[in-house]
Amino acid sequence: MSSTGLFVTLEGVDGCGKTTQATLLVEDFQNKGREVVRLREPGGTRISEKIRLFVLDPQYDEMCDECELLLYEAARAQLVREVVQPALERGAVVVCDRFYDSTFAYQAAARGLPANVVSMANSLGSCGLAPDLTLVFDLDPDEALERATHEATDRVEGEGTEFQRKVRNGYLKLSQDDPNRVHVVDAVGSVEVVHARVRKVLAECLGGSWS
Ligand code: TMP
């Protein structure tokens, strides 16, 4: 898949603050005159938003891990084919709140599905597309979950702190395995302080195209 754009993904445990940081990052790229497409996973297309409603709905507590995995991948494939791939081909910056690293952290590291199975599913769901840069917002799950559940508890947030701790460890493993792409950002501190850390990582990774 050829692309001239830039694909940036934001990751972390529920309540880590990545959505607020995504807004600021989008503004940064827009201020540099770039077209920016902001997305979230699961979601971003008619089909993927429908899947989101279904996969996060707490009433489906009988959902097995394999079913959950495949629903996330189905939502992802539609998003990649319908939105991400065309946006990258026309040179846009795509900022996506979660992508396939979430599937590794949640479905493999936390739920316990075998990593090789999740990896194969991710290949299919991403249609072979990999992010250029991934920021993992790292925050203690107790603090993060408190933020996340202020408004509503979805099916995944309802899993509690121990689950989120496994998710966090999954992300830390990903950053060790793929340090050139996956960058951990300390998410402790004010919105401005964390945003400054994000800008530092982008300057280091993107160099001239960022400054
Ligand atoms: P959000 O609340 O950040 O929008 O994410 C939705 C929830 O879905 C969140 O709890 C993480 C979970 N999730 C997975 O378990 N696997 C995935 O592949 C994705 C994209 C999200």
Side-chain angles (χ1 to χ4, degrees), residues 14 18 41-42 52 56 72 76 98 102-103 106-107 154 156:
D14 293 281
K18 65 186 161 37
E41 269 223 71
R52 179 187 179 92
L56 294 179
Y72 283 119
R76 178 166 304 135
R98 302 194 178 282
S102 281
T103 320
Y106 284 78
Q107 277 64 54
D154 66 32
V156 183

Side-chain angles (χ1 to χ4, degrees), residues 24-199:
L24 299 174
L25 189 57
V26 166
E27 285 171 11
D28 284 340
F29 279 115
Q30 285 171 337
N31 289 340
K32 291 174 192 304
R34 298 291 300 260
E35 181 203 355
V36 186
V37 177
R38 180 181 176 171
L39 300 167
R40 67 169 179 182
E41 269 223 71
T45 71
R46 281 193 324 149
I47 294 169
S48 314
E49 289 290 338
K50 281 272 186 211
I51 295 173
R52 179 187 179 92
L53 287 177
F54 183 56
V55 75
L56 294 179
D57 188 336
Q59 77 167 294
Y60 298 116
D61 60 356
E62 75 274 33
M63 190 179 290
C64 70
D65 295 347
E66 291 82 357
C67 174
E68 183 185 56
L69 170 68
L70 293 170
L71 286 173
Y72 283 119
E73 300 297 357
R76 178 166 304 135
Q78 188 63 33
L79 182 70
V80 168
R81 291 294 189 207
E82 193 180 322
V83 184
V84 180
Q85 187 176 11
L88 293 175
E89 282 171 358
R90 64 174 187 268
V93 177
V94 176
V95 175
C96 195
D97 196 326
R98 302 194 178 282
F99 196 62
Y100 61 22
D101 296 310
S102 281
T103 320
F104 176 78
Y106 284 78
Q107 277 64 54
R111 293 270 191 237
L113 284 173
N116 65 325
V117 170
V118 172
S119 173
M120 273 193 296
N122 274 345
S123 299
L124 183 63
S126 65
C127 307
L129 181 70
D132 296 302
L133 179 67
T134 298
L135 302 172
V136 172
F137 292 90
D138 187 47
L139 190 62
D140 177 72
D142 282 316
E143 201 179 319
L145 209 59
E146 198 172 307
R147 284 196 207 169
T149 50
H150 269 182
E151 287 168 16
T153 301
D154 66 32
R155 210 175 51 79
V156 183
E157 285 169 13
E159 293 290 342
T161 313
E162 267 323 296
F163 182 85
Q164 297 288 335
R165 218 169 284 292
K166 292 180 190 166
V167 172
R168 183 190 198 184
N169 290 337
Y171 280 127
L172 296 178
K173 178 167 188 333
L174 279 168
S175 73
Q176 284 160 6
D177 291 350
D178 195 355
N180 290 331
R181 176 178 68 83
V182 183
H183 299 266
V184 176
V185 176
D186 180 0
V188 176
S190 67
V191 168
E192 295 75 23
V193 165
V194 177
H195 181 53
R197 293 184 189 128
V198 169
R199 290 177 62 94

